[in-house]
Coordinates of all heavy atoms in Angstrom, one line a residue:
G25 N 52.6 -42.3 -32.2 CA 51.5 -41.4 -31.6 C 50.8 -40.6 -32.7 O 50.8 -40.9 -33.8
D26 N 50.1 -39.6 -32.2 CA 49.3 -38.8 -33.1 C 50.2 -38.1 -34.1 O 51.3 -37.9 -34.0 CB 48.5 -37.7 -32.3 CG 47.5 -38.4 -31.4 OD1 47.1 -39.5 -31.6 OD2 47.1 -37.7 -30.4
I27 N 49.5 -37.7 -35.2 CA 50.2 -36.8 -36.2 C 50.3 -35.4 -35.8 O 49.3 -34.7 -35.6 CB 49.4 -36.9 -37.6 CG1 49.3 -38.3 -38.0 CG2 50.1 -36.1 -38.6 CD1 48.4 -38.5 -39.3
V28 N 51.4 -35.0 -35.4 CA 51.7 -33.7 -34.8 C 52.9 -33.1 -35.6 O 53.6 -33.8 -36.3 CB 52.1 -33.7 -33.4 CG1 50.8 -34.2 -32.5 CG2 53.3 -34.7 -33.1
P29 N 53.1 -31.8 -35.6 CA 54.2 -31.2 -36.2 C 55.5 -31.6 -35.7 O 55.7 -32.0 -34.6 CB 54.0 -29.6 -35.9 CG 52.6 -29.5 -35.6 CD 52.2 -30.7 -34.9
A30 N 56.5 -31.7 -36.6 CA 57.9 -32.1 -36.3 C 58.8 -31.1 -36.9 O 58.4 -30.3 -37.9 CB 58.2 -33.5 -36.8
G31 N 60.0 -31.0 -36.4 CA 60.9 -30.1 -37.0 C 61.3 -28.9 -36.1 O 62.3 -28.1 -36.6
D32 N 60.6 -28.6 -35.0 CA 61.0 -27.5 -34.1 C 60.9 -28.0 -32.7 O 60.2 -28.9 -32.4 CB 60.3 -26.3 -34.4 CG 58.7 -26.5 -34.2 OD1 58.2 -27.6 -34.0 OD2 57.9 -25.4 -34.4
G33 N 61.5 -27.2 -31.8 CA 61.4 -27.6 -30.4 C 62.7 -28.2 -29.9 O 63.7 -28.1 -30.5
E34 N 62.6 -28.9 -28.7 CA 63.8 -29.4 -28.0 C 63.7 -30.9 -28.0 O 62.6 -31.4 -27.6 CB 63.9 -28.8 -26.7 CG 64.2 -27.3 -26.6 CD 64.3 -26.8 -25.2 OE1 64.9 -27.5 -24.3 OE2 63.8 -25.7 -24.9
L35 N 64.8 -31.6 -28.2 CA 64.9 -33.0 -28.1 C 66.1 -33.3 -27.2 O 67.0 -32.4 -27.0 CB 65.2 -33.6 -29.5 CG 64.1 -33.7 -30.5 CD1 64.8 -34.1 -31.8 CD2 63.1 -34.7 -30.1
K36 N 66.2 -34.5 -26.6 CA 67.3 -35.0 -26.0 C 67.6 -36.3 -26.6 O 66.6 -37.1 -26.9 CB 67.3 -35.1 -24.5 CG 67.3 -33.7 -23.8 CD 67.3 -33.9 -22.3 CE 67.3 -32.6 -21.6 NZ 67.2 -32.7 -20.1
A37 N 68.9 -36.7 -26.9 CA 69.2 -37.9 -27.6 C 70.3 -38.6 -26.8 O 71.3 -38.0 -26.5 CB 69.6 -37.6 -29.0
F38 N 70.2 -39.9 -26.7 CA 71.3 -40.7 -26.2 C 72.3 -41.1 -27.3 O 71.9 -41.7 -28.3 CB 70.8 -42.0 -25.5 CG 70.2 -41.9 -24.2 CD1 68.9 -42.3 -23.9 CD2 71.0 -41.3 -23.2 CE1 68.4 -42.2 -22.6 CE2 70.5 -41.1 -21.9 CZ 69.2 -41.6 -21.6
K39 N 73.5 -40.6 -27.3 CA 74.4 -40.8 -28.3 C 75.4 -41.9 -28.0 O 75.7 -42.3 -26.9 CB 75.3 -39.5 -28.5 CG 74.4 -38.2 -28.7 CD 73.5 -38.3 -29.9 CE 74.2 -38.2 -31.2 NZ 73.3 -38.0 -32.4
G40 N 75.8 -42.5 -29.1 CA 76.7 -43.6 -29.0 C 76.1 -45.0 -28.8 O 76.7 -46.0 -28.6
C41 N 74.7 -45.0 -29.0 CA 74.0 -46.2 -28.9 C 72.9 -46.2 -29.9 O 72.5 -45.1 -30.4 CB 73.5 -46.5 -27.5 SG 72.3 -45.3 -27.0
C42 N 72.3 -47.3 -30.2 CA 71.0 -47.4 -31.0 C 70.3 -48.6 -30.7 O 70.7 -49.6 -30.2 CB 71.4 -47.4 -32.5 SG 72.4 -48.9 -33.0
V43 N 68.9 -48.5 -30.9 CA 68.0 -49.6 -30.9 C 68.2 -50.4 -32.2 O 68.0 -49.8 -33.2 CB 66.6 -49.2 -30.6 CG1 65.7 -50.4 -30.9 CG2 66.4 -48.7 -29.2
T44 N 68.5 -51.7 -32.0 CA 68.7 -52.5 -33.3 C 67.6 -53.6 -33.3 O 67.7 -54.4 -32.4 CB 70.1 -53.1 -33.3 OG1 71.1 -52.0 -33.3 CG2 70.4 -53.9 -34.6
V45 N 66.8 -53.6 -34.3 CA 65.7 -54.6 -34.3 C 66.2 -55.8 -35.1 O 66.6 -55.6 -36.3 CB 64.4 -54.0 -35.0 CG1 63.3 -55.0 -35.0 CG2 64.0 -52.6 -34.2
V46 N 66.0 -57.0 -34.5 CA 66.5 -58.2 -35.1 C 65.5 -59.3 -35.1 O 64.7 -59.4 -34.1 CB 67.7 -58.7 -34.2 CG1 68.4 -59.9 -34.9 CG2 68.7 -57.6 -33.9
G47 N 65.4 -60.0 -36.2 CA 64.5 -61.2 -36.3 C 65.1 -62.3 -35.5 O 66.2 -62.7 -35.8
K48 N 64.3 -62.9 -34.6 CA 64.8 -64.1 -33.9 C 64.9 -65.3 -34.7 O 65.8 -66.1 -34.6 CB 63.9 -64.4 -32.7 CG 64.4 -65.6 -31.8 CD 63.5 -65.8 -30.6 CE 64.0 -67.0 -29.9 NZ 63.1 -67.4 -28.8
E49 N 64.0 -65.4 -35.7 CA 64.0 -66.6 -36.6 C 64.1 -66.2 -38.0 O 64.8 -66.7 -38.9 CB 62.7 -67.3 -36.4 CG 62.6 -68.0 -35.0 CD 63.6 -69.1 -34.7 OE1 64.2 -69.6 -35.7 OE2 63.9 -69.4 -33.6
W50 N 63.2 -65.2 -38.5 CA 63.0 -64.9 -39.9 C 63.6 -63.7 -40.4 O 63.5 -62.6 -39.7 CB 61.5 -65.0 -40.1 CG 60.9 -66.2 -39.7 CD1 60.2 -66.4 -38.5 CD2 60.9 -67.5 -40.4 NE1 59.8 -67.7 -38.4 CE2 60.1 -68.4 -39.5 CE3 61.3 -67.9 -41.6 CZ2 59.9 -69.8 -39.9 CZ3 61.1 -69.3 -41.9 CH2 60.4 -70.1 -41.1
G51 N 64.2 -63.8 -41.6 CA 64.7 -62.6 -42.3 C 63.9 -62.3 -43.5 O 63.0 -62.9 -43.8
S52 N 64.3 -61.2 -44.1 CA 63.7 -60.6 -45.4 C 64.6 -60.1 -46.3 O 65.8 -59.8 -45.9 CB 62.6 -59.6 -44.9 OG 62.0 -59.0 -46.0
F53 N 64.2 -59.8 -47.5 CA 65.1 -59.2 -48.5 C 65.8 -58.0 -48.0 O 66.9 -57.7 -48.4 CB 64.2 -58.9 -49.7 CG 65.0 -58.3 -50.9 CD1 65.9 -59.0 -51.6 CD2 64.8 -57.0 -51.3 CE1 66.6 -58.6 -52.7 CE2 65.5 -56.4 -52.4 CZ 66.4 -57.2 -53.0
G54 N 65.1 -57.1 -47.2 CA 65.7 -55.8 -46.8 C 66.4 -55.9 -45.6 O 67.0 -54.8 -45.1
D55 N 66.6 -57.0 -45.0 CA 67.3 -57.2 -43.7 C 68.9 -57.5 -44.0 O 69.2 -58.0 -45.1 CB 66.7 -58.3 -42.9 CG 65.3 -58.1 -42.6 OD1 64.8 -57.0 -42.7 OD2 64.5 -59.0 -42.2
G56 N 69.6 -57.2 -43.0 CA 71.1 -57.3 -43.2 C 71.9 -57.8 -42.0 O 71.3 -58.4 -41.0
V57 N 73.2 -57.6 -42.1 CA 74.1 -58.2 -41.2 C 74.9 -57.1 -40.6 O 75.3 -56.1 -41.2 CB 75.2 -59.2 -41.9 CG1 76.2 -59.6 -40.9 CG2 74.4 -60.3 -42.6
I58 N 75.2 -57.1 -39.3 CA 76.2 -56.3 -38.6 C 77.1 -57.1 -37.8 O 76.8 -58.0 -37.1 CB 75.4 -55.4 -37.5 CG1 74.5 -54.4 -38.2 CG2 76.5 -54.6 -36.7 CD1 73.6 -53.6 -37.2
D59 N 78.5 -56.8 -38.1 CA 79.5 -57.5 -37.3 C 80.0 -56.4 -36.3 O 80.4 -55.3 -36.7 CB 80.6 -58.0 -38.1 CG 80.4 -59.4 -38.6 OD1 79.3 -59.9 -38.5 OD2 81.3 -60.0 -39.3
M60 N 80.2 -56.8 -35.1 CA 80.6 -55.9 -34.0 C 82.1 -55.8 -33.9 O 82.7 -54.9 -33.3 CB 80.0 -56.1 -32.7 CG 78.5 -56.1 -32.6 SD 77.9 -54.4 -33.1 CE 78.6 -53.4 -31.7
G61 N 82.8 -56.9 -34.3 CA 84.2 -56.9 -34.2 C 84.9 -57.6 -35.4 O 84.2 -57.9 -36.4
G62 N 86.2 -57.6 -35.4 CA 87.0 -58.2 -36.5 C 86.9 -57.4 -37.9 O 86.5 -56.2 -37.8
E63 N 87.2 -58.1 -38.9 CA 87.2 -57.4 -40.2 C 85.7 -56.9 -40.7 O 85.7 -56.0 -41.3 CB 87.8 -58.4 -41.3 CG 89.3 -58.5 -41.3 CD 90.0 -57.3 -41.6 OE1 89.7 -56.6 -42.5 OE2 90.9 -57.0 -40.8
G64 N 84.8 -57.7 -40.2 CA 83.4 -57.3 -40.5 C 83.0 -56.0 -40.0 O 82.1 -55.3 -40.5
A65 N 83.6 -55.6 -38.9 CA 83.2 -54.3 -38.2 C 83.6 -53.2 -39.1 O 83.1 -52.0 -38.9 CB 83.9 -54.2 -36.9
K66 N 84.5 -53.3 -40.0 CA 84.9 -52.2 -40.9 C 83.8 -51.9 -41.9 O 84.0 -50.9 -42.6 CB 86.2 -52.6 -41.6 CG 87.3 -52.8 -40.7 CD 88.6 -53.3 -41.4 CE 89.8 -53.5 -40.4 NZ 91.0 -54.0 -41.2
H67 N 82.8 -52.7 -42.0 CA 81.8 -52.6 -43.1 C 80.7 -51.6 -42.8 O 80.0 -51.2 -43.7 CB 81.4 -53.9 -43.6 CG 82.4 -54.6 -44.4 ND1 82.4 -54.6 -45.8 CD2 83.3 -55.5 -44.0 CE1 83.4 -55.4 -46.3 NE2 84.0 -55.9 -45.2
T68 N 80.4 -51.3 -41.5 CA 79.3 -50.5 -41.2 C 79.6 -49.6 -40.0 O 80.5 -50.0 -39.1 CB 78.0 -51.3 -40.8 OG1 78.2 -51.9 -39.5 CG2 77.7 -52.5 -41.8
R69 N 78.9 -48.5 -39.9 CA 79.0 -47.7 -38.7 C 78.4 -48.2 -37.4 O 78.7 -47.8 -36.4 CB 78.4 -46.4 -39.0 CG 79.1 -45.4 -40.0 CD 80.3 -44.7 -39.4 NE 80.9 -43.9 -40.4 CZ 82.1 -43.3 -40.2 NH1 82.7 -43.5 -39.1 NH2 82.6 -42.5 -41.1

């Protein structure tokens, strides 16, 4: 949206979840991996 001040006021946040953007086909140098279970789950929050 427009450039407006940030840093004060009231927010509400849904905790315990996140929007995760994933490429259906194509990756890039800065893209990575998330494992939701098993040993891989220990590597990221």
Side-chain angles (χ1 to χ4, degrees):
D26 294 338
I27 300 172
V28 294
D32 60 354
E34 296 180 40
L35 291 167
K36 287 183 181 177
F38 282 126
K39 308 301 289 190
C41 65
C42 63
V43 168
T44 302
V45 183
V46 187
K48 181 179 180 181
E49 296 293 339
W50 304 96
S52 179
F53 180 70
D55 302 342
V57 177
I58 295 172
D59 274 10
M60 297 302 296
E63 286 296 309
K66 298 177 181 179
H67 286 268
T68 76
R69 289 284 183 190

